[in-house]
Amino acid sequence: MSRQRFWGAPIPIIHCDNCGEVPVPEDQLPVVLPDMRGADLLPKGTSPLGSATEWVNVECPKCGGAAQRDTDTMDTFVDSSWYFLRYPTPNDDTQPFDVEALRRWAPVDQYVGGVEHAILHLLYSRFVTKALHDMGYLDFVEPFTALLNQGKSSTRAAA
């Protein structure tokens, strides 16, 4: 799911008229959002990032022609859907996560969260885990072996 807003994780795709959608090269990751302090960020039906022309207009990594970065961002639950994969090696800045460490330490034994976690964060975490499993990075398909909901439900019983 993408969002037409400034904050969130940038979608690492470059749009080229000749090549189509081209992934941002690995050596250019992570894509860093531009400094837009003072910019008009009011909703206009398009992403505010579109007005950051120096950031948007780039060279196509495939053909070298004129191209544009994707100006939408991913939902913030996507940003936090894989944090638990960093826990075994939090100081490793050479890779997103250590596959061998995860083979020893994952999946997570107990997930504790409120209702919003069970329906949003958990859904994204399960999707990311299943995708990484299918790509051969993880040996497990479920990120958490048990779920404990805490707090009050947002629904009330009828009087």
Side-chain angles (χ1 to χ4, degrees):
M1 172 188 303
S2 67
R3 304 286 177 127
Q4 295 176 341
R5 60 182 185 197
F6 168 68
W7 64 92
I11 297 172
I13 293 292
I14 295 173
H15 301 277
C16 174
D17 288 339
N18 296 321
C19 303
E21 295 177 349
V22 180
V24 171
E26 191 170 330
D27 65 348
Q28 295 177 24
L29 295 175
V31 174
V32 178
L33 291 170
D35 182 350
M36 295 189 69
R37 282 179 282 194
D40 178 9
L41 301 178
L42 292 173
K44 296 177 189 66
T46 61
S47 174
L49 287 171
S51 66
T53 54
E54 283 186 32
W55 181 83
V56 171
N57 296 316
V58 295
E59 188 176 281
C60 173
K62 213 172 186 181
C63 72
Q68 294 80 38
R69 291 184 192 277
D70 197 301
T71 59
D72 285 345
T73 59
M74 290 184 265
D75 185 274
T76 53
F77 279 104
V78 174
D79 300 356
S80 64
S81 65
W82 62 279
Y83 70 90
F84 59 94
L85 299 176
R86 293 285 298 165
Y87 283 168
T89 52
N91 298 316
D92 183 350
D93 62 359
T94 65
Q95 57 191 344
F97 52 85
D98 185 318
V99 173
E100 291 305 315
L102 287 169
R103 287 194 173 112
R104 290 188 304 275
W105 291 100
V108 175
D109 291 329
Q110 181 73 55
Y111 183 101
V112 179
V115 173
E116 73 282 358
H117 290 104
I119 59 173
L120 294 172
H121 180 264
L122 185 57
L123 178 68
Y124 284 99
S125 294
R126 293 182 75 207
F127 173 80
V128 167
T129 299
K130 288 178 186 292
L132 290 170
H133 174 269
D134 290 351
M135 295 168 67
Y137 290 108
L138 301 177
D139 292 339
F140 52 92
V141 294
E142 288 292 340
F144 315 107
T145 58
L147 168 66
L148 174 64
N149 277 345
Q150 64 181 14
K152 293 183 178 182
S153 171
S154 59
T155 59
R156 293 183 181 185

